[in-house]
Amino acid sequence: MAEFNPADNIQDLQYFGEFGGVNPSITDSSTYTFLKAGKMEEIFEHEIEGCYLYSRHWNPTNKYLSQAIAKLEGTESASVTGSGMAAITCSILQICNAGDEIVSSRTIYGGTYAFFKNFLPKYNINTKFVDTTNLEHVKKAITSKTKIIYCETISNPMLEVSDIVALSKIAKEKGIKLVVDNTFSPLIFSPAQLGADVVVHSMTKFINGMSDCVSGAICGSKEFIDSLYDVHSGACMLLGPVLDSLRSANILKNLRTLHIRMKQHSTNAMYITKKLLDDGYKITYPGLEKHPQHQLMKQMMNAEFGFGGLFVINMGDSQKANRLMEAMQNSNIGYLAVSLGSYKTLFSAPGGSTSSEIPEEERKSMGLTDGLVRVSIGLDNNIERTYQLMSQCLKKLSS
Ligand code: PLP
């Protein structure tokens, strides 16, 4: 059997536009005509597939991008959404009913944490947050009410690497679903190939890569994706987080260069983290030997795409972290901004921003302090030059 290669899978996709264009035509319609009135009734009775009704349901442009994302993750099917949060919330709400429980990694994106901790209890869905790198903790937290184990492949912002193979084994033994957010590591990890049931993405980040739009994706079995679009009970159909087709068409084009971008992000991050580590700074990056899950990552990753574009510098306190970020922005290294996966370097201090939804006690226990600076390295052509600039910023702070 040919080895699974997500980049080749995307490469092999060939779509023709309406007039033979090399890019598919963009749907400019919110609704679709029917030649026979009876056909419309059949759609509402779930009797027809592959027919377009209304763009919140499905539209051709989103279908193209969804197919490409299914190829990226090697899943039977996929769907695209108007944000990463929509992909997460719709997936969870589709799987869970009132009274169910979720066992989630404690180090996840702050918005997801807040959804689990503050929003879902309104519907009597409760979450236990655990250190998912400790498999015994995961097993202990599962009860007869648990429906989902949830984690990020490389977690935001602690950059912990999840043992997807082991977590999927636990999920299968318990008859529950493993839902994985692969936002930080498209191409690098293929969680569905390692046993995950559902893979979600914030395409806002690396997949689109241009910092120009917000979008998400859900990958899974055909049965699961179809259930999300059921006109009577589907979370995507009824909550309505549809991605606009103009954006969708752009993301599909940007996806074509994802393999080149991921390699460059990873090469740059590896180069700069090694240098900064040698200089004595406190660096977290899964590509470094000293990272606690470095070996684990090597066993699971698609090696040619590297260890990803994110690393963390621990500056000790928030004042130093802020001064570093301002200095880096003033040196044109990148932007002091949330988000990640852009062509240009982005940095922020997650303790006071994207992870501030996580209670202070919890942040402390996982080492998420206010002195951490999360850096999403850009596609810089001359990374030695970037290192020199960053090094000057760091040296100024300690002088
Ligand atoms: N998942 C991760 C790991 C994220 O970092 C983010 C946003 O930062 C999201 C999901 C949410 O995605 P979006 O902002 O596209 O809704």
Side-chain angles (χ1 to χ4, degrees):
M1 205 175 74
E3 210 177 300
F4 177 80
N5 188 313
D8 292 350
N9 290 350
I10 295 169
Q11 164 79 38
D12 289 345
L13 281 175
Q14 206 145 288
Y15 300 122
F16 294 93
E18 202 177 352
F19 304 104
V22 295
N23 290 309
S25 310
I26 302 173
T27 316
D28 197 26
S29 298
S30 57
T31 191
Y32 299 83
T33 52
F34 284 77
L35 297 180
K36 294 256 186 293
K39 283 263 183 257
M40 194 182 273
E41 281 171 31
E42 285 174 47
I43 283 209
F44 276 94
E45 294 304 321
H46 322 256
E47 281 170 26
I48 287 190
E49 278 218 354
C51 194
Y52 298 107
L53 167 75
Y54 185 62
S55 276
R56 169 157 49 81
H57 187 225
W58 272 115
N59 66 59
T61 309
N62 285 353
K63 269 270 180 207
Y64 288 128
L65 180 59
S66 299
Q67 274 173 12
I69 296 295
K71 290 285 179 198
L72 165 71
E73 292 298 352
T75 50
E76 247 181 358
S77 189
S79 82
V80 293
T81 54
S83 70
M85 279 313 292
I88 294 164
T89 55
C90 287
S91 299
I92 300 295
L93 290 171
Q94 195 65 32
I95 298 169
C96 289
N97 292 313
D100 290 343
E101 287 178 1
I102 297 164
V103 171
S104 170
S105 162
R106 61 188 181 156
T107 139
I108 51 172
Y109 166 58
T112 315
Y113 190 98
F115 175 66
F116 287 166
K117 176 116 181 160
N118 308 326
F119 194 95
L120 285 179
K122 288 200 287 190
Y123 303 98
N124 194 22
I125 298 167
N126 293 298
T127 303
K128 287 181 185 156
F129 295 97
V130 299
D131 174 1
T132 42
T133 63
N134 185 326
L135 298 174
E136 288 311 309
H137 287 191
V138 176
K139 283 186 200 161
K140 263 196 200 144
I142 295 173
T143 70
S144 58
K145 293 180 180 171
T146 310
K147 283 284 156 64
I148 289 174
I149 300 175
Y150 184 92
C151 67
E152 294 172 356
T153 19
I154 301 180
S155 74
N156 184 359
M158 301 307 292
L159 308 183
E160 283 178 3
V161 179
S162 297
D163 188 341
I164 305 294
V165 175
L167 290 171
S168 98
K169 206 167 150 243
I170 297 173
K172 285 195 172 58
E173 275 166 17
K174 302 282 181 187
I176 60 179
K177 296 218 179 301
L178 175 63
V179 179
V180 177
D181 181 337
N182 199 26
T183 298
F184 276 30
S185 44
L187 293 174
I188 296 171
F189 277 114
S190 303
Q193 306 308 305
L194 300 170
D197 298 286
V198 177
V199 181
V200 290
H201 279 281
S202 166
M203 297 199 294
T204 315
K205 315 291 165 23
F206 290 103
I207 291 183
N208 185 49
M210 301 298 144
S211 293
D212 60 358
C213 80
V214 174
S215 55
I218 308 170
C219 311
S221 66
K222 183 175 178 320
E223 188 188 2
F224 181 65
I225 301 299
D226 285 353
S227 74
L228 292 164
Y229 288 90
D230 187 293
V231 291
H232 303 280
S233 59
C236 286
M237 182 63 190
L238 301 176
L239 299 176
V242 67
L243 177 60
D244 182 77
S245 40
L246 290 175
R247 286 302 188 187
S248 193
N250 284 335
I251 298 166
L252 180 59
K253 283 174 279 190
N254 292 335
L255 182 67
R256 297 293 193 175
T257 57
L258 181 63
H259 56 298
I260 301 168
R261 291 187 279 113
M262 289 314 291
K263 286 177 190 176
Q264 187 72 17
H265 285 300
S266 293
T267 303
N268 284 354
M270 189 60 130
Y271 184 93
I272 216 158
T273 54
K274 273 189 173 162
K275 289 253 184 179
L276 292 174
L277 188 72
D278 285 349
D279 293 343
Y281 297 106
K282 289 184 185 157
I283 305 293
T284 304
Y285 181 61
L288 298 174
E289 293 273 344
K290 72 169 187 110
H291 187 282
Q293 289 96 34
H294 176 69
Q295 289 305 330
L296 174 72
M297 180 154 176
K298 275 169 84 176
Q299 288 161 25
M300 293 190 302
M301 68 195 283
N302 300 319
E304 66 177 304
F305 303 105
F307 291 89
L310 282 135
F311 65 92
V312 171
I313 312 178
N314 186 347
M315 295 304 294
D317 60 57
S318 64
Q319 259 190 347
K320 276 199 178 138
N322 290 345
R323 280 169 55 207
L324 173 67
M325 292 189 294
E326 284 165 9
M328 290 201 294
Q329 181 157 261
N330 291 337
S331 309
N332 293 352
I333 292 171
Y335 300 109
L336 200 179
V338 296
S339 204
L340 53 110
S342 185
Y343 54 88
K344 184 89 178 169
T345 297
L346 302 178
F347 33 82
S348 57
S353 61
T354 49
S355 297
S356 57
E357 296 93 336
I358 302 173
E360 203 180 337
E361 270 311 295
E362 188 90 83
R363 272 187 269 145
K364 251 192 208 153
S365 76
M366 67 174 100
L368 205 174
T369 59
D370 291 347
L372 300 188
V373 175
R374 185 190 72 189
V375 181
S376 169
I377 200 80
L379 299 172
D380 308 24
N381 180 49
N382 183 346
I383 194 65
E384 168 62 23
R385 181 170 156 269
T386 306
Y387 159 69
Q388 291 296 343
L389 287 169
M390 203 178 276
S391 181
Q392 279 165 26
C393 296
L394 283 157
K395 277 182 193 150
K396 262 190 225 153
L397 280 182
S398 45
S399 64

